[in-house]
């Protein structure tokens, strides 16, 4: 059986032809036009989906379903792209399934991008065989998804697992959502960069300045890890503060959900284990209510392909 998964980003669209084992057979992509309207977006998704079939020499009638992973709030039951903060068009409740069906009458499933990544890791990645399985993506913000009982958990109103917006610090740092103290203001890649920049201002002789060519605007998520590897004390303080904030949200997830596994994805997760994963595990295990807790914390294994694989196989878990 063949499926199509489309991973929608704010700047790029990626479509993949995927088999029932979660193996990507081929991929195609296209940029998101800055003046793209909602109807044009729907038409482009159809065009890409057909193109990936043609590249793979697969007939349109051989496709079981098309899944679309979207950066925002979706309603799969109604086929709506409810809220889309990162797309060129600002329309709410875009009837995406209906737009797709205007050109191709194939089963279409919609999912939040982080949820799709969770499905991908559960079906063919690091969380394969684990249930419940939680995915945490550390990027500009923090995204999350969970598979429980073999089904994707989305909550009563389809927007569950917005874990980046759990409050970990009352009256804390202002978040883009309007709240204060959200986890993503302490555990995301953005938070890590800001912590690095603040520490640099306090320590003008830190090697962190050399790593970013003396320009704080060039600091990246990997910068403090590079500095710590070189023995820089300021960089080590950055990571200690960052891991503290990251671990609080992880502890909450373990205490509330007790998943069999939590997969970490996003650029930050690529850091070496001795600087990220191992100290994070120690902090989480130390902070958990159940001291015999056996939740595994692992790196996601599918990388950027998780969204494509998960979108393609969304039909099996909703």
């Amino acid at each position: 059986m063949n499926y199509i998964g489309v991973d929608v980003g704010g700047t790029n669209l990626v479509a993949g032809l995927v088999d029932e084992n979660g193996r990507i057979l081929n991929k195609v992509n296209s940029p998101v036009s800055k003046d793209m309207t909602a109807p044009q977006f729907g038409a482009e998704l159809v065009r890409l989906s057909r193109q990936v079939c043609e590249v793979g020499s697969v007939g349109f009638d051989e496709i079981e379903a098309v899944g679309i992973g979207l950066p925002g709030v979706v309603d799969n039951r109604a086929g709506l792209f409810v809220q889309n903060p990162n797309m060129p068009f600002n329309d709410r409740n875009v009837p995406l399934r209906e737009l797709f069906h205007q050109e191709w009458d194939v089963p279409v499933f919609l999912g939040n991008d982080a949820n799709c990544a969770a499905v991908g890791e559960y079906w063919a990645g690091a969380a394969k065989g684990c249930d419940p399985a939680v995915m945490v993506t550390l990027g500009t913000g923090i995204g999350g998804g969970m598979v429980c009982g073999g089904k994707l958990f989305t909550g009563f109103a389809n927007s569950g697992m917005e874990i980046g917006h759990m409050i970990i610090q009352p009256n804390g740092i202002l978040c883009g959502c309007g709240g204060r103290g959200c986890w993503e203001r302490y555990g995301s890649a953005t938070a890590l960069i800001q912590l690095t920049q603040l520490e640099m201002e306090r320590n003008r002789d830190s090697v962190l300045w050399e790593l970013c060519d003396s320009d704080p605007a060039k600091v990246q998520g990997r910068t403090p890890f590079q500095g710590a590897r070189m023995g820089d004390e300021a960089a080590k303080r950055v990571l200690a503060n960052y891991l503290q904030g990251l671990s609080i949200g992880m502890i909450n997830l373990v205490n509330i959900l007790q998943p069999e596994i939590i997969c970490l994805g996003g650029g930050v997760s690529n850091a070496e284990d001795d600087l990220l994963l191992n100290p994070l595990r120690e902090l989480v295990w130390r902070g958990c209510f159940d001291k015999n807790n056996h939740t595994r914390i692992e790196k996601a294994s599918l990388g950027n392909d998780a969204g494509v694989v998960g979108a393609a196989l969304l039909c099996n878990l909703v």
Side-chain angles (χ1 to χ4, degrees):
M1 291 188 288
N2 294 307
Y3 305 83
I4 292 173
V6 185
D7 188 20
V8 176
T11 58
N12 202 38
L13 307 175
V14 181
L17 184 65
V18 179
D19 67 17
E20 67 270 19
N21 297 314
R23 185 167 61 98
I24 295 178
L25 306 178
N26 58 67
K27 290 190 292 186
V28 297
N29 63 80
S30 70
V32 174
S33 173
K34 293 182 180 179
D35 58 356
M36 181 179 282
T37 65
Q40 289 171 338
F41 175 61
E44 181 63 9
L45 294 179
V46 175
R47 188 194 69 78
L48 266 184
S49 298
R50 286 177 167 165
Q51 183 184 354
V52 82
C53 289
E54 292 164 356
V55 170
S57 299
V58 171
F60 298 159
D61 59 347
E62 296 178 62
I63 300 300
E64 296 291 322
V66 175
I68 305 170
L70 298 153
V73 180
V74 304
D75 182 344
N76 180 60
R77 285 189 286 267
L80 301 176
F81 189 7
V82 177
Q83 188 175 341
N84 50 88
N86 299 312
M87 302 305 293
F89 49 92
N90 295 316
D91 313 41
R92 290 180 63 90
N93 295 315
V94 174
L96 198 53
R97 182 180 293 134
E98 179 183 322
L99 290 173
F100 201 99
H101 283 165
Q102 287 177 5
E103 300 192 49
W104 185 7
D105 187 18
V106 64
V108 173
F109 295 80
L110 309 181
N112 167 270
D113 51 2
N115 285 337
C116 288
V119 171
E121 290 295 333
Y122 171 79
W123 197 273
K128 187 173 183 178
C130 298
D131 196 335
V134 169
M135 177 76 182
V136 175
T137 56
L138 306 175
T140 303
I142 294 181
M146 178 172 69
V147 175
C148 185
K151 294 293 182 182
L152 183 64
F153 175 84
T154 57
F156 172 72
N158 302 303
S159 58
M161 291 302 290
E162 285 290 346
I163 58 177
H165 298 288
M166 74 168 94
I167 306 299
I168 68 164
Q169 180 64 54
N171 301 313
I173 302 171
L174 180 65
C175 180
C177 73
R180 287 188 175 275
C182 293
W183 185 27
E184 66 177 41
R185 297 301 292 118
Y186 299 84
S188 65
T190 302
L192 178 58
I193 289 169
Q194 291 172 343
L195 283 170
T196 304
Q197 292 166 334
L198 286 171
E199 190 66 33
M200 287 169 61
E201 291 301 322
R202 298 189 191 102
N203 297 272
R204 306 295 299 189
D205 59 346
S206 167
V207 73
L208 292 168
W209 286 95
E210 297 175 29
L211 292 171
C212 65
D213 298 325
S214 298
D215 183 358
K218 292 184 179 180
V219 170
Q220 298 177 312
R222 67 172 179 264
T223 304
F225 292 101
Q226 292 173 320
R229 179 62 68 210
M230 297 168 68
D232 184 72
E233 293 302 320
K236 290 179 182 178
R237 283 193 293 273
V238 170
L239 292 187
N241 289 335
Y242 173 72
L243 286 166
Q244 192 66 45
L246 181 58
S247 69
I248 292 172
M250 298 284 285
I251 291 166
N252 288 340
L253 290 175
V254 172
N255 284 346
I256 295 169
L257 303 172
Q258 198 160 54
E260 185 172 350
I261 189 171
I262 298 177
C263 295
L264 286 183
V268 174
S269 69
N270 294 323
E272 292 152 306
D273 287 358
D274 65 314
L275 295 178
L276 177 71
L277 208 57
N278 293 345
L280 179 61
R281 285 169 174 154
E282 179 63 30
L283 287 168
V284 172
W285 288 331
R286 194 186 307 159
C288 283
F289 173 76
D290 180 0
K291 299 306 180 185
N292 294 316
N293 172 66
H294 299 294
T295 295
R296 291 164 48 206
I297 301 174
E298 306 287 351
K299 289 181 181 178
S301 63
L302 297 182
N304 292 331
D305 288 338
V308 171
V309 173
L313 298 167
L314 199 57
C315 60
N316 296 309
L317 278 81
V318 296

